[in-house]
Every structure is written in structure tokens, then in C-alpha cells.
Amino acid sequence: MSLMVVLSHSWLRMKFYESFLILHVVLAIVTIYALLRHTNFENTTWQNYLYPVVVIWLFDRLLRIVRILYCNVHVQFIKGFIHNDTVVRYFADADLLRIEMTPDVRAPFKPSPGQYYYLYQLMAILG
């Protein structure tokens, strides 16, 4: 758990977010497993206190995955796939990548000034 705190430093999150996320999830699983092993001794079990933690953590992970899928692979059975027009341009002189996205008119989310997007690559380990 101390390692999770150290690896949660804002500089590391900004520079290596995908690595931070993977390490954080793996270390959380290791911590929960270690707690479950640690609390089972001498025929007395304290694991009943840990099961709610496991359920809440798994529920949180599931909701995050559902949200990502809903926002990115949103399928409407009546209207079909929602298709966002996206144009990516690379400017070598400035080493800049510009992404312009125009949401479909049927998209459930309408962009407005001051909003921002988190970009995920669902099939990539590192973004």
C-alpha cells in the first residue's frame, strides 16, 4: 500500500498515466489478496470484514469498464452505430498532434466550451 502511495505522485500520473493505472490495479489486487491471506489464521476468520471491500472494489472496476464501453462503443439498436468524425493531423515542426472530433448528431453527449475528453485506446497496453 505504501508503494501505491508513492506511485500515485502527480508527476508520475501525468507522465506515465497508463503505467500508473496498470500498476495501481495490480497492486490493489495484490493488497486485497494479501489481506485475505493475512486474516485467515488459527481457525478464526476475519475475512467477513474484507468481503465488502472486495465487492465495492469489483463493482467500481465494473462500472468504470461499462462507462468506457458506453462512451466509446455505444450502440443504438434502433438508429445503428453512432459514428464520430475524427481528423488527426501531425505537425512535425512543432511536434504536435491535433485531434479534431465532430460528434454524430445522435450522440448522447454534446460538447460545449470548456469541456475536455479522456482518450482511451481500448486495445493498446500503452496509450
Side-chain angles (χ1 to χ4, degrees):
M1 290 175 81
S2 297
L3 189 56
M4 288 173 68
V5 170
V6 170
L7 293 174
S8 296
H9 191 273
S10 63
W11 182 83
L12 291 170
R13 283 194 320 249
M14 286 189 295
K15 296 292 182 184
F16 308 102
Y17 180 76
E18 291 81 11
S19 300
F20 154 77
L21 185 61
I22 292 168
L23 279 171
H24 208 76
V25 170
V26 168
L27 289 173
I29 292 170
V30 168
T31 300
I32 291 172
Y33 175 76
L35 285 171
L36 288 171
R37 295 287 298 180
H38 179 73
T39 57
N40 188 12
F41 57 93
E42 297 178 6
N43 295 330
T44 57
T45 181
W46 298 90
Q47 292 179 346
N48 292 337
Y49 296 105
L50 293 177
Y51 291 139
V53 172
V54 173
V55 169
I56 290 169
W57 188 80
L58 288 174
F59 183 68
D60 173 64
R61 288 283 114 198
L62 178 67
L63 283 181
R64 288 173 188 263
I65 291 169
V66 167
R67 184 192 69 189
I68 289 171
L69 291 176
Y70 176 77
C71 291
N72 293 289
V73 190
H74 186 75
V75 177
Q76 292 182 349
F77 293 104
I78 296 172
K79 298 179 182 177
F81 285 101
I82 291 177
H83 177 72
N84 299 321
D85 293 325
T86 306
V87 177
V88 179
R89 292 187 187 104
Y90 177 68
F91 300 98
D93 55 340
D95 194 26
L96 180 73
L97 186 67
R98 181 178 177 147
I99 302 172
E100 297 176 8
M101 187 175 125
T102 306
D104 193 322
V105 294
R106 299 171 292 162
F109 305 110
K110 303 295 181 207
S112 62
Q115 290 182 330
Y116 55 91
Y117 290 91
Y118 284 108
L119 302 177
Y120 287 97
Q121 296 181 40
L122 293 178
M123 300 304 170
I125 293 176
L126 298 176

